[in-house]
Amino acid sequence: MKVSPAIAQTARIAAAIDKLASFTEADRPYTRLVFSPEFDAARNWLADAFAAAGLVCHIDSGGNLIGTRTVNLERANLKMSDEGRADRAKVLIGSHIDTVPAGGRFDGIAGVIAALEVVHYLNEHQIELPFDLEIVDYLGEELNVWGTSCLGSRHMAGLLTPEILGRVDVDGRQLASEITRIGGNNLGCDEVRSDADQILACLELHIEQAKLLEIQSHDIGIVTAIPGIYRYGISVKGQAGHSGTTPMDDRQDALVAAADIILAINGLASDIARDENQHFVATIGKIEVFPNGAAIVPGQVEMTLDMRSASTHSKSAFLAAFETICRDSAARRHCAVDVRPLAAADIAPMDSGLMQNLSDAAAVNGLSTIKLASGAGHDTAHLSRFAPAAIIFIPCSDGLSHCPEEFTSNEAIAKGAWVLTSCVLALAGKPLQAVVQR
Ligand SMILES: [Zn+2]
């Protein structure tokens, strides 16, 4: 019996997703932390899968696994430059296969498998591209014990500083040594990838990790921007005291001051998101109370604010009001409030030309699209600092992500792969065409 290409494709996607899901801590699915034995094993499997698709594999200095479908210089009518380096264009498609602890089967993984599907299509149709196509598993996209996410894409962008590389975890593992152990060498960690000017496009497919596509029944989200992510440490200092003898009107309760701030920030962020009709969120998800005793008025609170904004205006509006909130709370509760920036990654607008290409590629395949801003950070944000970059979202169930219930269908991944494929063909100068394998 002849199996239709579409069925063969979803079966191949399903097999790859299942296989990668099997590389997990056994008692905590799905856990494949960067540099763990499960991660190393999954990388080996992926390198074999890349090779089986005819890709030439290597690990770059930043520890990214790259499978290259090399341009045929003769057929593409290109010449080697004097240094023996092919003077040619490149297109990158990739995502990541590491997970958070007890994460899902699709976050990042769907993007790597979809990228591989582009290669399968080109191979099956014996299509030569006039550029190198690099399929990339970016190293360690998820936030890790060294306190940094997107290791591989940051490295390509020259943003992995010696300070970050020198960090050591509680088990004494230095980040730089771990990158070396898996095949990188950390050279040029503070320089943009040397062939950046030859990169035509960096493309990524990712699950939405929110509900908009599902609710509105759209196939593909064309992402307009990846939000800026800003973290601040907030210290509230009051005066610890006896909970029985300190009168209510003579307290400097740091936790009550912190509670004022948390509630006010929540209200402020909700107002900004609604009024500006932009993706804007602010969260205090980490808090420590000192001395943390049941019979002691809290004397000090340390907390972390995580703020994400798809617009610079929303960010400025928030920061201005945030300052007032802290000042008012300090005055009302007789405490001192100190705010210091911890980390910042600016808003990354996606390349408008590539967004149009992806939108056209979806349309020609009969898929519906909407434009939306990302809520989460992605490798593509860092890639966009040095090359044209864009990311598409596919729907996921109930918006769930970073949990074992995370789900998207093999068909949704296949549709995303069609969009990437048609986009790559258009970048190769071929007429816009559907690649639906019905
Ligand atoms: Zn991800």
Side-chain angles (χ1 to χ4, degrees):
M1 193 180 76
K2 193 166 175 341
V3 177
S4 83
I7 291 172
Q9 187 186 32
T10 46
R12 188 168 55 210
I13 290 169
I17 298 284
D18 286 349
K19 188 67 197 178
L20 278 170
S22 74
F23 299 107
T24 176
E25 288 180 17
D27 55 355
R28 193 168 55 151
Y30 299 94
T31 303
R32 187 166 54 252
L33 306 181
V34 66
F35 305 125
S36 66
E38 298 78 25
F39 177 79
D40 292 350
R43 267 268 171 111
N44 287 339
W45 176 82
L46 190 62
D48 287 348
F50 280 5
L55 302 176
V56 179
C57 288
H58 80 284
I59 299 216
D60 75 358
S61 55
N64 299 298
L65 173 65
I66 302 178
T68 306
R69 192 173 188 271
T70 312
V71 66
N72 182 319
L73 290 180
E74 216 170 296
R75 272 196 245 165
N77 226 352
L78 299 168
K79 286 197 221 63
M80 277 290 204
S81 67
D82 292 337
E83 304 84 49
R85 190 179 80 157
D87 193 15
R88 64 222 198 194
K90 287 134 211 251
V91 167
L92 278 59
I93 316 179
S95 196
H96 62 96
I97 63 160
D98 67 313
T99 72
V100 293
R105 290 159 49 96
F106 302 95
D107 174 356
I109 296 132
V112 175
I113 298 308
L116 198 48
E117 282 303 311
V118 176
V119 175
H120 287 311
Y121 182 91
L122 297 172
N123 291 348
E124 283 160 11
H125 294 79
Q126 297 172 9
I127 296 170
E128 285 288 340
L129 299 174
F131 44 72
D132 278 354
L133 182 64
E134 295 189 6
I135 306 303
V136 190
D137 168 29
Y138 295 104
L139 180 70
E141 192 269 352
E142 303 292 0
L143 190 60
N144 53 43
V145 289
W146 295 273
T148 302
S149 60
C150 299
L151 296 174
S153 51
R154 274 183 211 269
H155 191 284
M156 276 194 194
L159 298 170
L160 209 52
T161 61
E163 182 274 317
I164 296 172
L165 286 165
R167 290 179 192 168
V168 175
D169 77 354
V170 288
D171 299 321
R173 295 184 304 164
Q174 189 198 46
L175 179 55
S177 311
E178 286 298 292
I179 292 175
T180 308
R181 183 183 63 74
I182 59 147
N185 57 30
N186 298 309
L187 291 175
C189 63
D190 50 3
E191 293 161 22
V192 171
R193 189 175 141 148
S194 61
D195 59 357
D197 57 340
Q198 294 173 290
I199 298 175
L200 290 179
C202 300
L203 303 173
E204 181 173 7
L205 171 151
H206 205 281
I207 59 168
E208 185 194 352
Q209 304 176 288
K211 298 180 187 178
L212 206 60
L213 290 172
E214 187 179 54
I215 289 171
Q216 298 191 5
S217 297
H218 284 293
D219 300 304
I220 302 290
I222 308 287
V223 176
T224 53
I226 297 174
I229 303 180
Y230 308 91
R231 295 203 180 94
Y232 297 87
I234 306 172
S235 297
V236 185
K237 292 208 174 80
Q239 175 60 56
H242 195 296
S243 70
T245 60
T246 314
M248 295 308 288
D249 60 0
D250 190 25
R251 293 189 173 201
Q252 294 172 260
D253 188 325
L255 185 54
V256 172
D260 285 345
I261 293 170
I262 294 169
L263 283 173
I265 283 174
N266 185 270
L268 172 63
S270 306
D271 291 347
I272 289 177
R274 188 184 52 246
D275 296 348
E276 305 219 351
N277 198 20
Q278 287 274 3
H279 182 76
F280 185 91
V281 288
T283 308
I284 289 185
K286 188 176 179 209
I287 181 164
E288 288 174 288
V289 182
F290 302 94
N292 205 20
I296 309 171
V297 175
Q300 188 181 343
V301 168
E302 297 292 332
M303 51 191 183
T304 307
L305 166 67
D306 174 293
M307 185 256 282
R308 300 173 186 229
S309 176
S311 108
T312 43
H313 184 263
S314 300
K315 178 196 165 200
S316 311
F318 178 87
L319 289 179
F322 173 49
E323 208 183 304
T324 310
I325 287 170
C326 292
R327 208 175 33 237
D328 289 355
S329 172
R332 190 163 56 244
R333 305 296 177 185
H334 312 292
C335 292
V337 178
D338 176 61
V339 178
R340 63 199 180 284
L342 295 178
D346 280 330
I347 298 156
M350 297 292 94
D351 183 83
S352 56
L354 284 179
M355 283 170 58
Q356 188 60 51
N357 284 350
L358 289 163
S359 195
D360 294 344
V364 79
N365 283 290
L367 303 173
S368 66
T369 58
I370 45 166
K371 285 187 181 166
L372 43 69
S374 173
H378 293 289
D379 289 308
T380 297
H382 302 290
L383 307 175
S384 74
R385 316 273 183 221
F386 65 86
I391 179 167
I392 56 169
F393 284 165
I394 57 171
C396 62
S397 295
D398 235 0
L400 292 172
S401 185
H402 282 194
C403 60
E405 294 78 15
E406 179 182 279
F407 180 78
T408 188
S409 69
N410 301 314
E411 289 75 15
I413 298 172
K415 287 175 181 172
W418 302 343
V419 175
L420 294 176
T421 307
S422 288
C423 181
V424 165
L425 293 174
L427 290 171
K430 300 182 190 299
L432 188 65
Q433 55 192 285
V435 298
V436 182
Q437 298 179 307
R438 293 205 169 97

